[in-house]
Amino acid sequence: MTEEKTGKSTGRSGETEEDEAKEKVKMTGTAAVESAGAAETVAEEEKAYIHWLYQAVGVGSRGFLRSLAAFGTPRELYRLTVSGALSEKVSERYGKKAAKMAEFSKGYDVIGMYERMRERGIFLVTEDEPQFPERLSRIPDKPYAIYFAGRLPQAEKKAVAVIGARECTAYGRYMAEQFGAAFAKAGIQVISGMARGIDGIGQTAALKEGGYSLGVLGCGVDICYPRDNRALYETLLAEGGVCSEYPPGTEPRAVLFPPRNRIISGLCDAVLVVEAREKSGTLITVDMALEQGREVYALPGRATDPLSGGCNRLIRQGAGLAASPEEVLEEIMGGAGKGSFAAAKGQAVQGRLVFLEGVQGELWEILDFNPLPAQELQRRYEEKYGKTVALPVMFKELLELCAGGYAGQVGGGYFMRIMKT
């Protein structure tokens, strides 16, 4: 064929212009991939210096960390630190801290330490990255970066914080389980602090229903605190996630927990308080949630119950009354989530103990989460149903309820309600 017939010209090696064009595109594509890879490597290197900085500065030094931003990037700060120039630049107030940074950095392998952290399944994400939680990026005093293991929450899904007392009542335990399970069934992410009591109970219930939960820790993500929640911690790593603004290896300290509460509320659309005393650390999270513009709900309780004092006060001050999971779901999800809400509501109804019949079912209805004497139960039974029940018969039915796990016996003649979930 001639060049005129083919409409193509050949190069010096016999290749056509079309071949050359394809080769150029191929080379450009390869260069783009290599460039993207190089950019990613640079980004990871920068995060390695951020990891160094967080460790070198130490926890509880957020003011010092902010002041260091004036001297350049973390990489530049590292160079200033190891050269000794940083001590000359900072104010007298921070002189000792700069000296400690220099001492910490002697022989520190920036890239190697970061890579070892990554190998352990721990990641660092900064506010400039797409995977940084969108809700968190909009709060005042947001963290510059957070560490996490497992998965972070999905921005497109609703999230609720379930929080409350560590030493909760049987009533609080049951309600935390009900709300946690209902949120999971409706596709709502449950965020909490993995603490004993309400926090851990709500998260465990959500995970049991196949939902997502995130534990926000007041220590490094490689530390399980409290130790009692080891099973929950392992499940979160496998099926949900844990995060912290503190570097791995940071031991839990009382001073670290109040700041982490702003992250719990910041990651959510709403906060639910299940049980809290009048003066409770839980209310710190509520204050932060209100500053961040989050909705706050509280579970009502008896006026005489100390663990309901904080919740009742919140309701008096305008918090949403969380009478049932269904009501809170309807408010949080609105019209967009009617299908999921209906499904969750239906499943919640199926979980009630409607199959208890006869005297057992009637007795279960009058049992309370607080232990009551047999004589009081007999009085309530007669008042509610308009008929009498002999004490021996009542004892027999109550003991069968206890054997089935639906009631608990306390001090011989006292009985209380226990909920199966």
Side-chain angles (χ1 to χ4, degrees), residues 247-269:
T250 304
E251 295 290 339
R253 290 162 47 195
V255 70
L256 304 183
F257 288 89
R260 73 89 190 252
N261 291 347
R262 82 190 193 286
I263 298 178
I264 293 177
S265 55
L267 286 165
C268 299
D269 298 291

Side-chain angles (χ1 to χ4, degrees), residues 232-288:
L232 171 58
Y233 175 75
E234 297 292 347
T235 307
L236 285 170
L237 290 176
E239 301 174 20
V242 293
C243 78
S244 174
E245 66 177 319
Y246 309 121
T250 304
E251 295 290 339
R253 290 162 47 195
V255 70
L256 304 183
F257 288 89
R260 73 89 190 252
N261 291 347
R262 82 190 193 286
I263 298 178
I264 293 177
S265 55
L267 286 165
C268 299
D269 298 291
V271 172
L272 169 67
V273 184
V274 175
E275 279 189 325
R277 296 181 184 274
E278 282 275 5
K279 294 182 179 179
S280 167
T282 299
L283 302 182
I284 297 174
T285 308
V286 171
D287 289 340
M288 292 176 173

